[in-house]
Amino acid sequence: MKLFQKEHHHFQVTQGIYGPRSPRAATAVVEDVTKNNNPPRLRQLFVTVSLKLCLAVKQHVSHLKSFAFGGRLLAERKTIDVDYADDTTLFNGIPDAFVDISSTAYPLVITFLKFLLMLDGTIGNSYFERFPTVRDLSLGKIGNVRSKALRNFIRLNQVTYDLFCSAYWPHFNSQLTKKLDSSRVFTEIMSHIKGSLQARDGKLCLEEYLRLSESRTSKVSKKKREMIYDIFQDYEKMKVESGHFDLADLVNDLHRRFACERYHGDLMDFVYIDEVQDLTMRQISLFKYMCKNVDEGFVFSCDTAQTIARGIDFRFQDIRSLFYDEFFPCSQTDGMKKKGRMSEIFNLSQNFRTHAGVLKLAKEKWMARMKFIQRL
């Protein structure tokens, strides 16, 4: 795991294990020593969508650090039951902001929702302050108590695909819904109308959205896009009236704040985004504010056959365009724009969940069971 290799390398450098002839490349991994001569800090961020996967990675990294660093960094003593884990329990001690984070909390292993809430608490006024319920719940509350109240509000008021189908879909124009699939409509709203890189003002206008049908990769005709956009407009009105929000609202509000306010939180040296197939392009582009190491600071991994988030229309090739347009800083050289380098896409040739050994064992068990049944 690249994340752990960086941690181990950083630990060796700061402990003075390397001699004068050792590779100097290691110094690029760590920050400069601060004015107070404190040990340099390596800030790494690992983000995944799944809470269960986040817990597994968090515990694995903690155990590896404890083993590799000679017991100086103890693994987490509490064993959290994955079936009963929630954000508040898993991220106890990590604030809802990228400010005043303890050095022992790094590498940060968090869910994408926690990442959004930490950004929300770092720059400008929180998006959720516009909701009277949140203001009342948060009044006089700090730390984990406020975090728990905020998460309860999110759980009850975030428009997920299930809520979209149960509370919104039946109230749209039936002449439109009978010709459309609810899953496709939700995907178009979240990934394209509100979640594309072109949605600079939080949404595409009708003309911009209709132009997407001209693309070779378009899955929706122009006529259907017109119907979807009508539903989208009704959806936005109903959402405001119900006091609900969706993740695209929060993400677009964060982009707006970053455009007009300075970020004063921790900057990351390396960022690892897992399950990237469950994120929209607009969501992924938020990471550009967190790390300036565009040459080697980002690792994206995905399994396009394992998308679990509804409303996501993902193509891994789009990340290359995202990097060129959003992440790489452009510099003017001889009248030409020069951009950074990007590594090739690495495809795993082996499925580690069902490799040949697992399949062979399953086949042997199945054959043995069939023979047993035939004897009966």
Side-chain angles (χ1 to χ4, degrees):
M1 180 186 288
K2 186 177 180 181
L3 179 148
F4 176 69
Q5 290 175 343
K6 296 293 185 185
E7 289 291 328
H8 194 204
H9 204 177
H10 172 264
F11 178 78
Q12 291 178 317
V13 171
T14 55
Q15 295 300 312
I17 293 178
Y18 284 106
R21 294 186 180 182
S22 300
R24 294 295 183 182
T27 58
V29 178
V30 300
E31 302 173 3
D32 293 331
V33 177
T34 62
K35 294 180 180 179
N36 297 325
N37 292 322
N38 292 325
R41 296 173 63 184
L42 174 66
R43 296 189 178 99
Q44 296 198 91
L45 174 67
F46 181 97
V47 178
T48 186
V49 174
S50 168
L51 184 66
K52 290 185 177 181
L53 180 58
C54 181
L55 173 60
V57 173
K58 190 178 180 71
Q59 291 180 336
H60 185 61
V61 169
S62 180
H63 294 155
L64 284 175
K65 287 177 65 177
S66 178
F67 174 77
F69 301 159
R72 298 191 187 189
L73 298 173
L74 296 178
E76 295 178 8
R77 294 179 179 178
K78 292 184 179 179
T79 301
I80 302 174
D81 192 330
V82 67
D83 294 323
Y84 297 97
D86 58 30
D87 279 26
T88 307
T89 304
L90 187 57
F91 306 125
N92 185 31
I94 301 177
D96 280 342
F98 284 100
V99 180
D100 297 328
I101 300 175
S102 170
S103 59
T104 59
Y106 286 101
L108 277 178
V109 180
I110 58 178
T111 60
F112 183 69
L113 177 59
K114 176 66 174 179
F115 170 72
L116 292 180
L117 294 181
M118 291 178 74
L119 284 183
D120 182 65
T122 304
I123 183 166
N125 296 323
S126 171
Y127 167 78
F128 297 100
E129 290 298 320
R130 69 191 64 199
F131 298 101
T133 305
V134 174
R135 291 199 299 269
D136 295 340
L137 288 173
S138 302
L139 192 62
K141 297 178 180 178
I142 59 174
N144 284 344
V145 178
R146 184 185 182 281
S147 293
K148 197 163 188 176
L150 180 56
R151 279 163 177 76
N152 285 335
F153 172 83
I154 292 173
R155 180 175 55 84
L156 295 173
N157 295 281
Q158 179 190 342
V159 180
T160 60
Y161 175 68
D162 290 338
L163 185 61
F164 179 80
C165 288
S166 61
Y168 287 82
W169 190 255
H171 301 286
F172 295 141
N173 187 336
S174 60
Q175 296 301 312
L176 300 177
T177 56
K178 69 180 182 181
K179 300 175 183 177
L180 298 167
D181 175 68
S182 60
S183 178
R184 170 48 58 185
V185 172
F186 191 70
T187 298
E188 289 296 312
I189 292 174
M190 297 302 161
S191 287
H192 299 290
I193 298 178
K194 299 177 71 173
S196 68
L197 293 177
Q198 292 73 32
R200 299 295 180 182
D201 296 324
K203 65 177 182 179
L204 297 177
C205 68
L206 176 59
E207 290 73 19
E208 291 172 324
Y209 180 58
L210 293 180
R211 279 200 294 269
L212 296 181
S213 61
E214 301 171 5
S215 170
R216 290 183 300 174
T217 60
S218 175
K219 302 176 183 178
V220 184
S221 66
K222 185 175 181 179
K223 185 176 181 179
K224 283 192 174 182
R225 288 184 187 276
E226 291 175 343
M227 293 188 288
I228 290 172
Y229 204 88
D230 285 341
I231 290 178
F232 160 69
Q233 291 178 314
D234 290 339
Y235 162 71
E236 288 295 303
K237 293 176 184 177
M238 292 173 59
K239 179 161 58 69
V240 172
E241 293 171 357
S242 302
H244 292 162
F245 78 99
D246 55 44
L247 278 189
D249 295 326
L250 173 56
V251 169
N252 286 322
D253 185 71
L254 286 169
H255 278 292
R256 179 191 59 79
R257 279 184 271 166
F258 272 108
C260 58
E261 300 185 40
R262 291 192 63 182
Y263 174 75
H264 296 288
D266 286 354
L267 287 174
M268 302 297 141
D269 299 301
F270 297 94
V271 177
Y272 310 84
I273 303 103
D274 191 30
E275 298 179 305
V276 73
Q277 76 274 4
D278 291 323
L279 303 177
T280 68
M281 292 296 107
R282 198 89 168 124
Q283 291 171 347
I284 296 171
S285 65
L286 283 173
F287 290 100
K288 68 183 179 183
Y289 304 115
M290 301 299 302
C291 179
K292 304 303 180 184
N293 182 15
V294 293
D295 285 329
E296 58 177 2
F298 292 91
V299 175
F300 296 95
S301 63
C302 79
D303 183 351
T304 54
Q306 246 197 344
T307 301
I308 61 174
R310 303 299 290 266
I312 305 298
D313 197 4
F314 178 83
R315 295 189 319 136
F316 201 86
Q317 294 86 342
D318 291 337
I319 292 185
R320 298 186 70 87
S321 299
L322 172 73
F323 247 76
Y324 282 123
D325 296 336
E326 299 285 322
F327 282 70
F328 282 139
C330 297
S331 59
Q332 200 76 16
T333 306
D334 298 329
M336 299 291 290
K337 285 186 176 181
K338 184 179 179 181
K339 295 190 175 183
R341 297 178 296 105
M342 185 163 61
S343 64
E344 295 297 322
I345 296 175
F346 294 96
N347 295 309
L348 291 178
S349 58
Q350 182 177 2
N351 186 333
F352 289 93
R353 287 189 179 86
T354 54
H355 57 74
V358 175
L359 294 176
K360 182 180 179 181
L361 178 62
K363 182 180 179 180
E364 291 174 353
K365 292 288 186 182
W366 175 255
M367 294 299 292
R369 186 173 182 180
M370 290 300 295
K371 289 180 180 179
F372 176 77
I373 293 175
Q374 290 172 359
R375 291 173 184 172
L376 296 179

